[in-house]
Protein backbone atom coordinates (compact mmCIF):
# COMPACT_ATOMS: atom_id res chain seq x y z
CA UNK A 1 0.00 0.00 0.00
CA UNK A 2 2.80 2.39 0.92
CA UNK A 3 4.62 1.72 -2.36
CA UNK A 4 1.43 2.46 -4.32
CA UNK A 5 1.04 5.75 -2.44
CA UNK A 6 4.64 6.73 -3.21
CA UNK A 7 4.22 5.80 -6.89
CA UNK A 8 0.96 7.78 -7.03
CA UNK A 9 2.55 10.85 -5.46
CA UNK A 10 5.56 10.57 -7.78
CA UNK A 11 3.32 10.31 -10.84
CA UNK A 12 1.32 13.33 -9.72
CA UNK A 13 4.52 15.33 -9.16
CA UNK A 14 5.78 14.42 -12.61
CA UNK A 15 2.47 15.40 -14.19
CA UNK A 16 2.54 18.77 -12.42
CA UNK A 17 6.16 19.36 -13.45
CA UNK A 18 5.28 18.59 -17.07
CA UNK A 19 2.60 21.28 -16.96
CA UNK A 20 5.30 23.88 -16.41
CA UNK A 21 3.70 25.67 -13.49
CA UNK A 22 1.57 28.80 -13.57
CA UNK A 23 1.67 31.84 -15.76
CA UNK A 24 2.47 34.34 -13.03
CA UNK A 25 5.75 34.81 -11.20
CA UNK A 26 4.14 33.52 -8.00
CA UNK A 27 3.17 30.24 -9.67
CA UNK A 28 -0.52 31.10 -9.79
CA UNK A 29 -2.65 31.84 -12.83
CA UNK A 30 -5.94 33.52 -13.49
CA UNK A 31 -8.64 32.83 -16.05
CA UNK A 32 -7.58 36.01 -17.88
CA UNK A 33 -3.98 34.76 -18.06
CA UNK A 34 -5.20 31.43 -19.44
CA UNK A 35 -7.44 33.11 -22.02
CA UNK A 36 -4.62 35.42 -23.13
CA UNK A 37 -2.24 32.48 -23.46
CA UNK A 38 -4.81 30.47 -25.45
CA UNK A 39 -5.42 33.45 -27.75
CA UNK A 40 -1.67 33.87 -28.28
CA UNK A 41 -1.35 30.14 -29.00
CA UNK A 42 -4.20 30.35 -31.55
CA UNK A 43 -2.55 33.28 -33.31
CA UNK A 44 0.84 31.56 -33.33
CA UNK A 45 -0.69 28.33 -34.62
CA UNK A 46 -2.39 30.10 -37.52
CA UNK A 47 0.56 32.15 -38.69
CA UNK A 48 1.45 31.30 -42.25
CA UNK A 49 4.73 32.41 -43.75
CA UNK A 50 6.85 31.81 -46.82
CA UNK A 51 10.12 29.92 -46.66
CA UNK A 52 12.72 28.58 -49.04
CA UNK A 53 12.94 24.83 -49.56
CA UNK A 54 14.57 22.61 -52.13
CA UNK A 55 11.30 23.00 -54.09
CA UNK A 56 11.43 26.80 -54.05
CA UNK A 57 9.36 29.23 -51.97
CA UNK A 58 6.49 27.50 -50.15
CA UNK A 59 3.96 28.23 -47.42
CA UNK A 60 4.95 27.11 -43.92
CA UNK A 61 3.26 27.06 -40.53
CA UNK A 62 4.30 28.95 -37.39
CA UNK A 63 7.05 26.39 -36.70
CA UNK A 64 8.41 26.69 -40.24
CA UNK A 65 7.07 23.29 -41.32
CA UNK A 66 6.05 22.92 -44.96
CA UNK A 67 2.35 23.09 -45.80
CA UNK A 68 0.79 20.69 -48.30
CA UNK A 69 -2.44 20.27 -50.24
CA UNK A 70 -4.29 17.11 -51.25
CA UNK A 71 -5.49 17.03 -54.86
CA UNK A 72 -8.40 14.78 -53.80
CA UNK A 73 -9.90 17.75 -51.89
CA UNK A 74 -12.51 19.71 -53.82
CA UNK A 75 -14.22 23.06 -53.41
CA UNK A 76 -11.99 23.92 -50.45
CA UNK A 77 -13.32 21.04 -48.35
CA UNK A 78 -11.01 18.45 -46.81
CA UNK A 79 -11.38 14.78 -47.68
CA UNK A 80 -8.58 13.75 -45.28
CA UNK A 81 -10.00 12.34 -42.03
CA UNK A 82 -9.14 9.68 -39.44
CA UNK A 83 -5.89 7.85 -40.33
CA UNK A 84 -5.22 10.26 -43.18
CA UNK A 85 -5.37 13.21 -40.76
CA UNK A 86 -3.01 11.36 -38.41
CA UNK A 87 -0.34 11.32 -41.12
CA UNK A 88 -1.34 14.68 -42.61
CA UNK A 89 -2.49 16.89 -39.70
CA UNK A 90 -4.73 19.71 -40.92
CA UNK A 91 -3.76 23.30 -40.17
CA UNK A 92 -6.72 24.19 -37.98
CA UNK A 93 -7.86 27.52 -36.58
CA UNK A 94 -10.05 28.42 -33.60
CA UNK A 95 -13.27 29.16 -35.48
CA UNK A 96 -14.80 30.04 -38.86
CA UNK A 97 -13.34 33.54 -38.82
CA UNK A 98 -10.21 34.15 -40.86
CA UNK A 99 -7.36 34.85 -38.44
CA UNK A 100 -6.27 38.49 -38.33
CA UNK A 101 -3.43 39.39 -40.64
CA UNK A 102 -4.19 36.82 -43.33
CA UNK A 103 -5.10 38.06 -46.82
CA UNK A 104 -8.79 37.25 -47.43
CA UNK A 105 -8.09 37.25 -51.18
CA UNK A 106 -5.85 34.21 -50.66
CA UNK A 107 -6.87 32.54 -47.40
CA UNK A 108 -10.20 31.18 -46.17
CA UNK A 109 -11.52 28.84 -43.50
CA UNK A 110 -13.62 25.70 -44.06
CA UNK A 111 -15.37 23.49 -41.56
CA UNK A 112 -14.11 19.91 -41.39
CA UNK A 113 -16.32 16.85 -40.93
CA UNK A 114 -15.28 16.69 -37.24
CA UNK A 115 -16.51 20.25 -36.63
CA UNK A 116 -13.05 21.85 -36.46
CA UNK A 117 -12.01 24.61 -38.85
CA UNK A 118 -9.19 24.30 -41.37
CA UNK A 119 -7.22 27.06 -43.03
CA UNK A 120 -7.19 27.07 -46.84
CA UNK A 121 -4.84 28.79 -49.29
CA UNK A 122 -6.59 29.38 -52.58
CA UNK A 123 -8.89 26.39 -53.04
CA UNK A 124 -6.63 24.07 -51.05
CA UNK A 125 -7.08 23.01 -47.40
CA UNK A 126 -3.63 23.12 -45.75
CA UNK A 127 -1.89 20.21 -44.03
CA UNK A 128 1.43 19.37 -42.42
CA UNK A 129 3.17 16.03 -42.92
CA UNK A 130 4.32 13.94 -39.96
CA UNK A 131 7.37 12.85 -41.97
CA UNK A 132 8.70 16.43 -41.92
CA UNK A 133 10.75 16.82 -38.76
CA UNK A 134 12.40 20.19 -39.34
CA UNK A 135 11.81 23.47 -41.18
CA UNK A 136 12.66 23.06 -44.86
CA UNK A 137 11.75 19.37 -45.00
CA UNK A 138 9.55 18.46 -47.97
CA UNK A 139 9.33 14.69 -47.45
CA UNK A 140 5.63 14.61 -48.31
CA UNK A 141 6.10 16.11 -51.78
CA UNK A 142 4.40 13.96 -54.43
CA UNK A 143 3.29 11.34 -51.91
CA UNK A 144 0.83 9.00 -53.58
CA UNK A 145 0.80 11.35 -56.55
CA UNK A 146 -1.76 13.51 -54.66
CA UNK A 147 0.15 15.52 -52.00
CA UNK A 148 2.02 18.67 -53.04
CA UNK A 149 3.59 21.71 -51.38
CA UNK A 150 1.70 24.98 -51.65
CA UNK A 151 3.22 28.06 -53.26
CA UNK A 152 2.69 31.53 -51.74
CA UNK A 153 -0.04 32.28 -54.31
CA UNK A 154 -2.07 29.22 -53.26
CA UNK A 155 -1.08 27.12 -56.26
CA UNK A 156 0.54 23.69 -56.02
CA UNK A 157 4.17 23.03 -56.79
CA UNK A 158 4.10 19.62 -58.43
CA UNK A 159 7.67 19.38 -59.70
CA UNK A 160 10.74 18.42 -57.81
CA UNK A 161 13.10 21.03 -59.21
CA UNK A 162 13.80 24.16 -57.19
CA UNK A 163 12.01 27.29 -58.27
CA UNK A 164 13.61 30.72 -58.38
CA UNK A 165 14.38 31.87 -54.82
CA UNK A 166 12.46 34.71 -53.23
CA UNK A 167 14.29 37.79 -52.04
CA UNK A 168 12.99 37.60 -48.45
CA UNK A 169 10.77 35.68 -46.06
CA UNK A 170 7.41 37.21 -45.31
CA UNK A 171 4.50 36.56 -42.99
CA UNK A 172 0.83 36.81 -43.93
Amino acid sequence: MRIRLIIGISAAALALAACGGGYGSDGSSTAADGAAAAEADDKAATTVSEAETDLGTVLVDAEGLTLYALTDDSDGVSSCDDGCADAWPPLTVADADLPAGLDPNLFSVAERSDGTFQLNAGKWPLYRYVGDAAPGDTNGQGSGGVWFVVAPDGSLIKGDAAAAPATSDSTY
Side-chain angles (χ1 to χ4, degrees), residues 51-138:
E52 283 303 310
T53 69
D54 58 345
L55 298 170
T57 306
V58 302
L59 293 179
V60 297
D61 70 3
E63 288 78 38
L65 296 176
T66 302
L67 294 173
Y68 297 86
L70 172 62
T71 58
D72 291 344
D73 290 347
S74 65
D75 299 322
V77 177
S78 174
S79 62
C80 180
D81 295 306
D82 303 320
C84 175
D86 291 339
W88 299 91
L91 182 60
T92 57
V93 295
D95 54 38
D97 296 329
L98 186 64
L102 294 180
D103 181 355
N105 294 315
L106 176 60
F107 295 98
S108 62
V109 176
E111 187 169 2
R112 294 178 47 80
S113 63
D114 64 3
T116 61
F117 298 93
Q118 186 168 3
L119 189 64
N120 293 351
K123 66 179 186 175
W124 303 109
L126 297 173
Y127 305 87
R128 299 173 195 94
Y129 177 54
V130 296
D132 288 348
D137 285 354
T138 57

Side-chain angles (χ1 to χ4, degrees), residues 10-22:
S10 297
L14 284 173
L16 286 174
C19 291

